[in-house]
Amino acid sequence: MTIIAGPCSIESRQQLAEAVATLTADSRVAMVRGGVWKPRTRPGGFEGIGLPALQWVAELKAERPFAFCCEVALPEHVEMCLRHGVDAVWIGARTTANPFAMSELAQALRGTALPVMVKNAPSPDVRLWAGAIERCQAATTGVVSAILRGFDIYNNLGYRNAPLWDVALELRRLMPSLPLLCDPSHITGRRDAIAATAQTALDLGLDGLMVEVHPHPADALTDADQQLTPHQFIAVLDGLVERRSDSQKADSALADCRAQIDAIDQQLLQLLQRRMDIARDIATVKRQLDLPLYQPQRWQTLLDHHRAAAQAIGLDPDFATRLFNLIHSESLRTQQEL
Ligand code: PEP
Ligand code: MN
């Protein structure tokens, strides 16, 4: 498990020195993070220290070496990071969303060995995320990895940025060997929710965490609500249960359950195929009677029934709604094809 931790923004030499001293004292922390240039949604906020912050990093490293990473959004940021011995960079959510900006950054990374971490874009589009990653992979010889920082969706489910774990798991399916980290700080936006989200990430097999830690979060110039004190951060790390990756032992222990799941999946597919056959018969009758294919009342009755039936046998009714919405839209699509 890779742990990256540090302040949202570098604010002063003193703040950085304090953060580095406490974080590097814990051998679980592989790298210190610190924002040097801050992308702000609205003008007038603290936009980062810029170049002097990189000079402080270099001075502190000369006293006692540690690995450091920061966000880059412009080609000149990459150049300044390279000049100041920054060990890795990340691409922020707003930059990942912009293919023009990504191409320019890739150009600046070309021929370097700088490791790059690519955060997901604010919108849940896995191809946009994968595209930004591919641009970096084609440019640097360093390790490219991804960071799930959550998505800015209409109903963000009580998070600052909804995690939408499925999008991260889809990226994993598309790019199975890509290291995938989680940023529980920007997902939750709240100190007290970080431990649970970090644990979910590990339970889903993500490879590490980037966590915002500030020596005095109450005084932080950015993201004050989500930064942990070093003490709180260590408590979060101590409480995490690391899951082991799929070993041969797990394979044999799970073989029986997996065989049952495989058989059930096969039955589900066969039942769905029969259901679609019947939907085609229904479409024929509807055409003969000149009825519209979509029957809203019948569909509402079915959904209400399925939700109640799911609840009665201990299944989540929202899951039943999602499942049957998918089945119904495929049924309508099949009927349209006739
Ligand atoms: C950050 O890590 O401080 C940051 C700005 O992240 P994001 O791009 O995920 O908003
Ligand atoms: Mn932040």
Side-chain angles (χ1 to χ4, degrees), residues 69-148:
C69 62
C70 66
E71 175 175 346
V72 290
L74 298 171
E76 53 261 42
H77 295 164
V78 175
E79 282 145 29
M80 284 188 258
C81 285
L82 287 166
R83 273 208 308 276
H84 288 82
V86 168
D87 301 276
V89 295
W90 78 83
I91 314 265
R94 298 154 191 84
T95 311
T96 304
N98 180 347
F100 286 126
M102 281 311 306
S103 293
E104 292 200 358
L105 281 177
Q107 192 59 35
L109 289 164
R110 196 165 304 280
T112 75
L114 199 57
V116 181
M117 298 172 279
V118 183
K119 290 193 167 198
N120 64 266
S123 58
D125 178 350
V126 75
R127 291 176 318 144
L128 197 57
W129 196 6
I133 290 164
E134 284 161 353
R135 285 188 164 96
C136 295
Q137 285 172 329
T140 176
T141 57
V143 176
V144 177
S145 40
I147 304 180
L148 174 71

Side-chain angles (χ1 to χ4, degrees), residues 36-37 50-59 68 70 80-81 84 86:
V36 171
W37 303 278
L51 194 55
L54 288 184
Q55 283 156 352
W56 299 334
V57 170
E59 285 164 20
F68 174 80
C70 66
M80 284 188 258
C81 285
H84 288 82
V86 168

Side-chain angles (χ1 to χ4, degrees), residues 8 33 38-39 71 90 92-94 119 149 183 186 212:
C8 177
R33 65 151 278 156
K38 296 305 296 177
E71 175 175 346
W90 78 83
R94 298 154 191 84
K119 290 193 167 198
R149 52 76 81 193
D183 168 352
H186 289 91
E212 286 190 342

